[in-house]
Amino acid sequence: MLGPSGHQDTFARDNLPPFDQWPEIKVGDFQYPEWLNAGVELTDRMVEKGFGDHTALIGNGRRRTYKELADWTNRIARALTEDYGLKPGNRVLIRSANNPAMVACWLAATKAGLVVVNTMPMLRAGELVKAIEKAEIQLCLCDTRLMEEMVAAAKESKYPTLVVGFDGTANHDAELDRAALNKPVRYEAVKTGRDDVALLGFTSGSTGVPKATMHFHRDLLIIADAFAKEVLNVTPDDVFVGSPPLAFTFGLGGLAIFPLRFGAAATLLEQATPPKMIEIIETYKATISFTAPTAYRAMLAAMDGGADLSSLRVAVSAGETLPAPVFEEWVKKTGKPIIDGIGATEMLHIFISNRMDDFKAGCTGKPLAGYEAIVVDDNMNEVPRGTVGRLAVKGPIGCRYLADERQKDYVKDGWNLTGDSFVQDEDGYFHFAARSDDMIVSAGYNIAGPEVEAALLKHDGVLECAVIGVPDEERGTIVQAHVVLAKGHEPSDLMVKILQDHVKSVIAPYKYPRSIIFTDALPKTESGKIQRFRLKQKLSA
């Protein structure tokens, strides 16, 4: 049964899946008080523990202490409730790149008992409006440098949605900042229940139709008290750096929740390219890195040119499987572990991982304490060791989609089915085999083929198209589009660029097809269904 709620607006709890569709939740040792506010635990509580003068966030050329962060978030929380009239349980969308202001807005909204949707700056209006309408967003907080698409989405939405700007730079000169400036630094945070929804993590799914995963206040702390404590052994001396957007639960954990839970520091980069990450590592002596294998490959090359990454004590790789050659070269050059693991937005963060003292190439590791994992067939029967099957997981966190029929596909017999195919060896270690669905994972980003196809089909020059993922040495996998052109349009390098630019203008630019192949016809069944598997077979032939 769910514990008590501090929400006045009951939308989130009302839209949880029916209990009979939930996975089995095994809380185990992850025990928290009945009333719990994760925003308070990561700020004011850390000040009470003596971390007030410790650096919490580094970004835009400034260091902010835990005391400064607590005061900052208290002022914003007051503005959200006093000036904008938000009530506990209302939904707030935040649009920003990775910067301290985004973290402050997220923590402030959490303190105010609001349900937060974090979104990437790359999303276009058409993608944002889907989140606004799915979550029935009341207020959008947007970095003033990114207002155009946000305002367009709010206008397009059928729900009345207010857009308020904040300054993502160090200047603090925007509407929200001015509203917060005159507020007292003391704020009595909303008394939320540990089972109140604090975060909605959106994931596209293989169809491109967004799903909202619902996570409680306690879940935000569990991921730190599980992976960050057990695997990373985070201390107050650690300095985090990474490339994942805070809008991804992988990034929110690795670059905000994990460091703040243990009194460490987080460095935040709006453009987290490998050269910029290397600069941050060298400047601030970062100790823990979160990024995808693609970036680690680039960082290894930079080491040959003299880059000093010696301060890193551990590198965490996720988003896509870590190729054995990258693993081996990293360990050889640095003498430090590179930790491969697997997580899911539905599970909030990593649940199977290698360990600092138990890691090997081509292996994802073993479940974290409190989690169970098995490999099953289509009938949910566990398969023999050494056999490829579907990964099924259960633990203290599990999938809860907001009002979505696909809940029944993700959860079977109490297990979370992640959409990944794995092999478990005789020693109990898990090894990634492939995605079970049509999701394309490129440089750590999940891309739904149907969504790219829909964007291409909006161009007058495209008659038909099919999108698949193809292997790529740099990015692991890239999006490849097979396109049948409409009459009056001819294949050319210019046409490739026109279609790529068109896709970038319709959906987030990272989803664009890096390879476009023009063809006279697509393989189809007798009923006219496109056979994408034949395109893949043709590619591998």
Side-chain angles (χ1 to χ4, degrees):
M1 292 294 293
L2 291 171
S5 173
H7 285 176
Q8 295 176 29
D9 179 344
T10 62
F11 172 88
R13 187 162 284 197
D14 292 344
N15 282 283
L16 284 164
F19 280 120
D20 61 2
Q21 294 180 19
W22 280 41
E24 184 181 351
I25 302 291
K26 298 187 146 191
V27 176
D29 294 333
F30 298 104
Q31 300 291 332
Y32 302 93
E34 199 169 50
W35 297 101
L36 180 76
N37 187 304
V40 172
E41 295 301 316
L42 299 175
T43 54
D44 302 81
R45 193 77 67 238
M46 299 307 294
V47 175
E48 292 172 11
K49 290 178 179 178
F51 292 100
D53 292 334
H54 286 230
T55 298
L57 302 177
I58 300 169
N60 292 328
R62 280 191 59 182
R63 293 175 182 262
R64 289 168 174 83
T65 65
Y66 277 86
K67 178 65 167 69
E68 288 173 323
L69 181 61
D71 292 350
W72 188 10
T73 53
N74 285 342
R75 285 188 170 119
I76 296 173
R78 278 184 174 273
L80 292 174
T81 54
E82 295 171 7
D83 292 39
Y84 299 105
L86 293 175
K87 305 296 183 189
N90 287 168
R91 275 77 57 214
V92 169
L93 182 146
I94 302 174
R95 172 173 166 81
S96 177
N98 287 11
N99 55 51
M102 181 183 186
V103 174
C105 286
W106 164 64
L107 288 167
T110 305
K111 283 183 173 182
L114 306 172
V115 180
V116 181
V117 175
N118 290 317
T119 63
M120 289 189 300
M122 287 187 280
L123 297 186
R124 301 305 192 199
E127 295 161 307
L128 290 166
V129 79
K130 290 177 184 176
I132 290 173
E133 295 189 345
K134 179 85 175 178
E136 297 186 16
I137 298 291
Q138 278 96 346
L139 179 75
C140 299
L141 298 178
C142 183
D143 188 319
T144 50
R145 295 168 293 174
L146 300 167
M147 290 289 269
E148 186 177 354
E149 298 283 343
M150 188 75 263
V151 170
K155 284 180 179 175
E156 190 180 327
S157 170
K158 62 186 177 186
Y159 294 102
T161 305
L162 179 65
V163 177
V164 175
F166 66 88
D167 191 342
T169 73
N171 297 326
H172 303 304
D173 187 24
E175 181 182 341
L176 181 67
D177 306 285
R178 290 189 289 272
L181 187 61
N182 295 319
K183 301 295 182 187
V185 297
R186 292 189 179 278
Y187 172 72
E188 187 173 341
V190 170
K191 188 180 178 184
T192 46
R194 65 187 173 204
D195 296 333
D196 271 329
V197 176
L199 182 75
L200 296 178
F202 272 80
T203 178
S204 64
S206 59
T207 63
V209 179
K211 296 173 286 190
T213 64
M214 311 177 77
H215 298 295
F216 299 163
H217 280 263
R218 67 175 177 189
D219 298 341
L220 300 182
L221 302 184
I222 286 172
I223 62 171
D225 296 344
F227 180 76
K229 186 175 183 179
E230 178 188 348
V231 177
L232 302 181
N233 190 26
V234 180
T235 74
D237 295 327
D238 279 313
V239 178
F240 286 68
V241 66
S243 64
L246 290 164
F248 287 177
T249 56
F250 177 55
L252 188 69
L255 297 176
I257 297 172
F258 293 176
L260 296 178
R261 180 65 168 159
F262 299 103
T267 60
L268 298 168
L269 283 163
E270 293 192 348
Q271 301 293 329
T273 60
K276 292 236 181 234
M277 282 187 58
I278 290 166
E279 182 183 337
I280 289 292
I281 292 167
E282 292 179 333
T283 302
Y284 295 104
K285 306 301 179 195
T287 58
I288 300 176
S289 170
F290 277 79
T291 191
T294 312
Y296 285 122
R297 194 179 285 117
M299 289 161 73
L300 283 166
M303 287 178 69
D304 293 334
D308 181 8
L309 307 183
S310 60
S311 64
L312 287 180
R313 67 177 183 84
V314 60
V316 180
S317 173
E320 62 187 83
T321 189
L322 178 66
V326 177
F327 173 95
E328 289 162 352
E329 190 179 354
W330 184 271
V331 173
K332 180 181 176 183
K333 280 187 176 179
T334 68
K336 313 270 180 68
I338 184 166
I339 301 296
D340 193 13
I342 183 170
T345 308
E346 288 83 357
M347 303 287 288
L348 193 55
H349 216 274
I350 292 172
F351 47 80
I352 295 176
S353 178
N354 281 287
R355 307 300 200 272
M356 301 278 276
D357 56 355
D358 184 11
F359 57 92
K360 51 188 174 182
C363 176
T364 310
K366 291 183 176 180
L368 303 181
Y371 289 82
E372 297 175 54
I374 56 174
V375 179
V376 299
D377 61 19
D378 290 340
N379 296 315
M380 293 302 295
N381 299 309
E382 189 169 3
V383 300
R385 298 287 174 97
T387 305
V388 175
R390 305 170 74 190
L391 182 66
V393 187
K394 64 173 67 167
I397 299 174
C399 176
R400 294 174 294 251
Y401 288 137
L402 187 154
D404 202 306
E405 284 296 315
R406 290 168 290 185
Q407 177 76 16
K408 290 181 281 190
D409 299 327
Y410 202 93
V411 177
K412 299 278 189 187
D413 299 342
W415 293 88
N416 300 275
L417 293 171
T418 67
D420 300 284
S421 294
F422 266 76
V423 174
Q424 188 177 17
D425 65 26
E426 294 297 333
D427 297 320
Y429 294 88
F430 287 82
H431 303 260
F432 178 80
R435 283 292 299 179
S436 309
D437 56 22
D438 291 326
M439 185 67 73
I440 299 165
V441 184
S442 180
Y445 289 92
N446 286 346
I447 302 168
E451 188 180 17
V452 182
E453 291 172 0
L456 281 166
L457 288 167
K458 288 183 178 178
H459 192 281
D460 292 341
V462 177
L463 181 65
E464 290 183 315
C465 65
V467 165
I468 61 172
V470 299
D472 177 75
E473 189 172 324
E474 284 298 311
R475 306 181 72 82
T477 305
I478 60 169
V479 176
Q480 182 179 83
H482 293 252
V483 174
V484 179
L485 290 172
K487 283 185 179 179
H489 297 270
E490 298 296 327
S492 66
D493 290 344
L494 176 60
M495 194 64 194
V496 168
K497 187 171 189 315
I498 288 171
L499 293 180
Q500 289 175 329
D501 289 345
H502 166 75
V503 171
K504 290 178 188 178
S505 73
V506 176
I507 55 179
Y510 69 86
K511 301 175 184 176
Y512 85 93
R514 291 173 183 269
S515 168
I516 293 181
I517 295 174
F518 296 111
T519 182
D520 293 332
L522 297 171
K524 296 176 182 175
T525 64
E526 289 182 5
S527 63
K529 186 177 180 181
I530 296 172
Q531 296 174 307
R532 289 168 185 80
F533 72 91
R534 284 179 57 189
L535 295 173
K536 295 179 182 178
Q537 287 173 347
K538 188 176 178 182
L539 185 75
S540 59

